[in-house]
C-alpha cells in the first residue's frame, strides 16, 4: 500500500504505550501503521490535564502542535499559555504536562526515540 488516510474522528480514544498515556489519547500512528515514531491527537476537556512525565528513561523527544482551544504547558513547575497554531518542544529531562483551559484543548503529540 502506498498511503493511508485516517480521519481522527474515527479513531477511538484510550491509553497508548507512551509514558504519558491518558484516556484522552487518539493513537493516530497505530491507525496509520507507523512504527518509527508515535503520533497522538489528544482532546482534553475543560480543566483536564495530561500525565506529568519526563523522558529520562526512554530518551524520547516530544513535540506538541496546538490545534484548538487553549490552556497551558507546564514545564518543571512553570506554566506558559498555549494557543492554536503554536508548536511546543520540551527537553527530555524536564517534567511536563498540558492543562486545558475553559474551552478544552486539542493538540497533536509527536514522540520519537533517539
Amino acid at each position: 500500500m502506498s498511503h493511508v488516510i485516517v480521519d481522527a474522528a474515527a479513531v477511538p480514544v484510550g491509553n497508548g504505550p507512551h509514558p504519558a498515556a491518558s484516556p484522552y489519547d487518539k493513537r493516530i500512528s497505530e491507525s496509520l501503521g507507523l512504527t518509527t515514531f508515535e503520533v497522538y491527537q489528544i482532546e482534553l476537556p475543560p480543566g483536564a490535564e495530561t500525565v506529568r512525565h519526563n523522558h529520562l528513561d526512554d530518551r524520547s523527544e516530544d513535540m506538541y502542535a496546538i490545534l484548538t482551544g487553549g490552556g497551558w504547558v507546564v514545564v518543571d513547575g512553570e506554566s506558559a499559555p498555549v494557543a492554536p497554531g503554536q508548536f511546543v518542544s520540551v527537553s527530555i529531562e524536564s517534567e511536563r504536562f498540558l492543562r486545558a483551559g475553559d474551552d478544552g484543548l486539542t493538540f497533536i503529540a509527536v514522540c520519537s526515540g533517539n
Side-chain angles (χ1 to χ4, degrees), residues 12-87:
V13 295
N15 292 13
H18 190 275
S22 80
Y24 308 111
D25 297 356
K26 291 189 172 200
R27 295 156 53 181
I28 303 298
S29 50
E30 287 182 15
S31 296
L32 290 170
L34 299 173
T35 59
T36 59
F37 61 96
E38 298 169 359
V39 178
Y40 301 90
Q41 180 166 307
I42 296 91
E43 300 174 355
L44 296 175
E49 297 179 348
T50 62
V51 175
R52 297 168 196 239
H53 70 288
N54 62 47
H55 285 287
L56 288 171
D57 291 337
D58 64 9
R59 308 301 295 166
S60 181
E61 292 182 317
D62 286 346
M63 186 282 305
Y64 309 115
I66 310 303
L67 299 178
T68 64
W72 300 266
V73 60
V74 182
V75 179
D76 295 331
E78 294 187 28
S79 298
V82 293
Q86 293 180 322
F87 294 81

